[in-house]
Amino acid sequence: MSTPRRSARAHTAVLDAASQLVLEHGYGRLTVDAICARSGVSKATVYRWWPNRAAIVVEALLESVQPDVAYPDTGSLREDLVGQATALARALAAPGLGGTLVALLGEARDDRDLATALRNGWQEPRRAAGREVVRRAVRRGELPADVDADLVLDGVYGPLYLRLLFGHAGLGRDEVQRIVDQVLDGCGGGHRAG
Amino acid sequence: MSTPRRSARAHTAVLDAASQLVLEHGYGRLTVDAICARSGVSKATVYRWWPNRAAIVVEALLESVQPDVAYPDTGSLREDLVGQATALARALAAPGLGGTLVALLGEARDDRDLATALRNGWQEPRRAAGREVVRRAVRRGELPADVDADLVLDGVYGPLYLRLLFGHAGLGRDEVQRIVDQVLDGCGGGHRAG
Amino acid sequence: MSTPRRSARAHTAVLDAASQLVLEHGYGRLTVDAICARSGVSKATVYRWWPNRAAIVVEALLESVQPDVAYPDTGSLREDLVGQATALARALAAPGLGGTLVALLGEARDDRDLATALRNGWQEPRRAAGREVVRRAVRRGELPADVDADLVLDGVYGPLYLRLLFGHAGLGRDEVQRIVDQVLDGCGGGHRAG
Amino acid sequence: MSTPRRSARAHTAVLDAASQLVLEHGYGRLTVDAICARSGVSKATVYRWWPNRAAIVVEALLESVQPDVAYPDTGSLREDLVGQATALARALAAPGLGGTLVALLGEARDDRDLATALRNGWQEPRRAAGREVVRRAVRRGELPADVDADLVLDGVYGPLYLRLLFGHAGLGRDEVQRIVDQVLDGCGGGHRAG
DNA sequence: GGATAACCGAGACGGTACGTCTTGTCTTCAT
DNA sequence: ATGAAGACAAGACGTACCGTCTCGGTTATCC
């Protein structure tokens, strides 16, 4: 019962190559063969550790983006939300990430593992952090105790992803602010109370 | 200037076949060859009229779904929004549509024509109808005159699409109601005023 | 029920490329990919018309070698046999053919179609011609009427192939003559009787 | 000068596994990995002692078949030859051996070591024994003193291998007898003299 | 109402990526 | 310091789908 001793070199080379290639040509034009060529890792090895192209990309994506979407703790719910959501919007607007994420979400409809990876690896950590932010605000009295944190978060991030999907409106700090204001007003935490 | 004498038979046969095949196997497993086989239309003909698989599917999708997402006119903004959004949520939750739409949105990142088709053919008509509903509500005094209709609509549909994407929460009538309530409270049209 | 209209260009390009590559690198190093690259024909097309590498090579081989192994008609059985067998020996000793044939015969053990192709396409035509030569000799009185033509032919070609297989002896005109002499002496058609 | 302390266990396990697998699936489907799996010997060890698949198989083949093709000494050349050749024909007709041998001979065109191994390990011992048999016959006066032993042997074994290669005729005792008769008649040792 | 295009179906084609397989080398770990 | 386990690079395999193309055959206008 020996743990497979996967080669760290090959592993990171694949993820790096995938990240680069997605940036250069977009997810749609990403090819496992190209990843192999760029990384110097053989196809057999790639397929030993990942079931398909999407799995490689989620792993690369989660690894690279994880750190830089932490919530600030400004003492004001409004500021916290606007800060994080603006950072997220900026990240998603960058050439590689937004498009890749949407494409992955599209594929995830036919790929249960991918869907799980995205929910657990991308969505859930952010959401957990968001719930904590909301809880802090409740403790500070900015929101009523019976507020539904998930509804608040959906209210903020929903419009953000919607605009990412259809691209029908911008996502600068101003737009994000107005979204957050509308949500906070709607759930009893009007920003004037900040 | 000769009008292309596009064969109506071939045209609808292709769209029908595409719809069926998407329902049966999902968009991801849809193949132009399969569409040809099912419809009895040749590849040459298919490619004469559509540039690629996605274009066929958007057309089939827009044609089939267009009618059944009209807004009711109940005299109450809240009722109108809840009614339409619930219907939309139900449609998107059905096996074929939701997945297909997300997949198409994913591909649209690399396909400007597809993106345009989705925005103009799917998003914009619904949004125009939605703006009209909001305008009616303003006329009735349910909302302040300076309300930003698009922000309201993003507030309602954003969470809906977000849950479609990640599947982290349900989309029954109750959930939709709570979403709509939060938005209306947030933009000065509290539902108590309904 | 339309006959598949295979492209003559692609067909001959594949056979030519296969012949060249076998000559250059030997059958053992022959690759379908290389045939495709050399011929400019796609893999799909190659596999549409041939089940595997061996089938391509037999066809190329049969087509190219067929003509130049006809029997002479010298009026003497001994001369006819020596002439043809020497020509065959020379052909088999050439870089490509002998090795390829042996390799194909090896693979034919696991490939019934290949075995049939070799028997019907290579062995049988030669053998039929050989039987005719023997029959002529019987008519001329060089051999008794009850001679077993196949046994005679095996007696001539058996040693020839054996030396091809193990390479333990040469196959010049002299060696072939001595083989033929021994066979004819053995079957009642001693060459002194010629 | 350190004697490689070749593990007897590993060595015989590999040869046994190779023999079994050839019998079960044929040489064409034999895999080094399968030999390792079956024998419990690691690939590193296998490749330490044999350069490739063919080398393993020749060794296994030579070891297993060597004993049972000895020449009888009946006092009659004809009987000796018919006896040995019939035994050989039976051995070659068995599922594993004939096919394997032909396949190896095919590969030997590209593998000088393999060719040498087959000639020295398979062909030459048999031929040496055969020459001795012929020499005995000369001593007994069954054949003229100037007979070419190799030509006689090629006359007997040539047709045998030819039929093995193309499978165009049977190889029972009767057929072998007629082959031997023809050869002996042809080289001055008519079987009536037996 | 016969000519003449554009259309149609069928399906072969070059191309490209897929995911699998086997080879022979190299590394790691346990003995 | 040997050998089993097995990861690795290389690269061929045979399959699938794409989008283009060439075929004949069939409409369906326009003279």
Side-chain angles (χ1 to χ4, degrees), chain B residues 35-105:
Chain B
I35 295 178
C36 293
R38 174 73 60 101
S39 65
V41 168
S42 78
K43 283 175 84 165
T45 302
V46 168
Y47 281 104
R48 194 191 318 281
W49 301 117
W50 294 275
N52 52 47
R53 184 179 68 148
I56 303 173
V57 175
V58 233
E59 189 174 335
L61 182 145
L62 293 181
E63 185 179 78
S64 71
V65 185
Q66 215 56 269
D68 52 289
V69 278
Y71 277 86
D73 185 356
T74 61
S76 149
L77 173 60
R78 180 179 178 257
E79 291 306 316
D80 287 359
L81 286 176
V82 169
Q84 201 275 346
T86 305
L88 178 63
R90 187 157 33 238
L92 291 177
L97 183 56
T100 303
L101 187 59
V102 176
L104 289 173
L105 285 165

Side-chain angles (χ1 to χ4, degrees), chain C residues 119 123 127 150 154, chain D residues 159-160 162-164 166-172 175 179:
Chain C
R119 189 160 47 244
Q123 171 79 340
R127 186 157 286 265
D150 279 314
D154 282 351
Chain D
L160 196 149
L162 188 63
R163 293 176 181 192
L164 171 67
F166 288 100
H168 59 284
L171 277 171
E175 283 95 348
I179 291 170

Side-chain angles (χ1 to χ4, degrees), chain B residues 5 30-33 43-44 47 52-53:
Chain B
R5 285 168 303 149
L30 180 65
T31 272
V32 176
D33 281 337
K43 283 175 84 165
Y47 281 104
N52 52 47
R53 184 179 68 148

Side-chain angles (χ1 to χ4, degrees), chain A residues 137-183:
Chain A
V138 171
R139 261 184 257 119
R140 283 195 303 258
E142 290 184 63
L143 288 180
D146 65 344
V147 77
D148 179 341
D150 279 312
L151 188 60
V152 170
L153 295 172
D154 283 350
V156 173
Y157 296 109
L160 195 149
Y161 278 92
L162 188 63
R163 292 176 181 191
L164 171 67
L165 283 177
F166 288 101
H168 59 283
L171 277 170
R173 171 164 261 265
D174 284 2
E175 283 95 346
V176 171
Q177 254 175 24
R178 299 178 57 213
I179 292 170
V180 170
D181 285 350
Q182 178 174 271
V183 170

Side-chain angles (χ1 to χ4, degrees), chain A residues 5 30-33 43-44 47 52-53:
Chain A
R5 285 158 301 131
L30 180 65
T31 272
V32 176
D33 280 338
K43 282 175 89 163
Y47 281 105
N52 51 47
R53 184 179 69 146

Side-chain angles (χ1 to χ4, degrees), chain A:
Chain A
M1 186 168 81
S2 62
T3 292
R5 285 158 301 131
R6 89 200 263 165
S7 147
R9 191 191 61 67
H11 190 224
T12 67
V14 166
L15 296 184
D16 289 352
S19 298
Q20 291 169 24
L21 288 164
V22 163
L23 268 180
E24 289 170 25
H25 310 299
Y27 176 77
R29 276 187 266 289
L30 180 65
T31 272
V32 176
D33 280 338
I35 295 178
C36 292
R38 173 75 59 101
S39 66
V41 167
S42 77
K43 282 175 89 163
T45 301
V46 168
Y47 281 105
R48 194 194 319 282
W49 300 117
W50 293 275
N52 51 47
R53 184 179 69 146
I56 303 173
V57 175
V58 233
E59 189 174 335
L61 182 146
L62 293 181
E63 186 178 76
S64 70
V65 185
Q66 214 55 269
D68 51 288
V69 277
Y71 276 86
D73 185 357
T74 61
S76 149
L77 174 60
R78 180 173 178 265
E79 291 306 315
D80 287 0
L81 286 176
V82 169
Q84 201 275 346
T86 305
L88 179 62
R90 187 160 31 240
L92 291 177
L97 183 55
T100 303
L101 187 59
V102 175
L104 289 174
L105 285 165
E107 286 197 24
R109 304 294 303 205
D110 295 333
D111 182 341
R112 192 142 296 280
D113 291 343
L114 178 55
T116 304
L118 283 172
R119 188 157 53 243
N120 293 347
W122 175 266
Q123 171 78 341
E124 204 36 60
R126 253 151 279 268
R127 187 157 285 265
R131 284 195 211 96
E132 176 53 32
V133 168
V134 172
R135 235 172 286 134
R136 281 202 308 251
V138 171
R139 261 184 257 119
R140 283 195 303 258
E142 290 184 63
L143 288 180
D146 65 344
V147 77
D148 179 341
D150 279 312
L151 188 60
V152 170
L153 295 172
D154 283 350
V156 173
Y157 296 109
L160 195 149
Y161 278 92
L162 188 63
R163 292 176 181 191
L164 171 67
L165 283 177
F166 288 101
H168 59 283
L171 277 170
R173 171 164 261 265
D174 284 2
E175 283 95 346
V176 171
Q177 254 175 24
R178 299 178 57 213
I179 292 170
V180 170
D181 285 350
Q182 178 174 271
V183 170
L184 294 189
D185 282 352
C187 65
H191 54 290
R192 285 154 235 99

Side-chain angles (χ1 to χ4, degrees), chain C residues 26-29 92 98-99 101-103 105-106 109-110 118-119 122-123 127 148 150-155 157-159 161-169 178-179 181-183 185-187, chain D residues 26-29 92 98-99 101-103 105-106 109-110 118-119 122-123 127 148 150-155 157-159 161-169 178-179 181-183 185-187:
Chain C
Y27 176 78
R29 276 187 265 289
L92 291 176
L101 187 59
V102 176
L105 285 165
R109 304 295 302 204
D110 295 334
L118 284 172
R119 189 160 47 244
W122 175 266
Q123 171 79 340
R127 186 157 286 265
D148 179 341
D150 279 314
L151 189 60
V152 171
L153 295 171
D154 282 351
Y157 297 109
Y161 278 93
L162 188 63
R163 292 176 182 192
L164 172 66
L165 282 178
F166 288 101
H168 59 283
R178 299 178 60 210
I179 292 171
D181 286 350
Q182 177 174 271
V183 170
D185 283 352
C187 66
Chain D
Y27 176 76
R29 276 187 267 288
L92 291 176
L101 187 58
V102 176
L105 285 164
R109 305 293 304 205
D110 295 332
L118 284 172
R119 189 157 53 243
W122 174 266
Q123 171 78 340
R127 186 157 285 266
D148 180 341
D150 279 313
L151 188 61
V152 171
L153 295 172
D154 282 351
Y157 297 109
Y161 277 92
L162 188 63
R163 293 176 181 192
L164 171 67
L165 283 178
F166 288 100
H168 59 284
R178 299 178 59 211
I179 291 170
D181 286 351
Q182 178 173 271
V183 171
D185 283 352
C187 66

Side-chain angles (χ1 to χ4, degrees), chain C residues 62 66-67 69-71 84 116-133 153 157, chain D residues 166:
Chain C
L62 294 181
Q66 213 57 268
V69 278
Y71 276 87
Q84 202 275 344
T116 303
L118 284 172
R119 189 160 47 244
N120 293 346
W122 175 266
Q123 171 79 340
E124 206 34 61
R126 253 151 278 268
R127 186 157 286 265
R131 283 196 212 96
E132 176 51 32
V133 167
L153 295 171
Y157 297 109
Chain D
F166 288 100

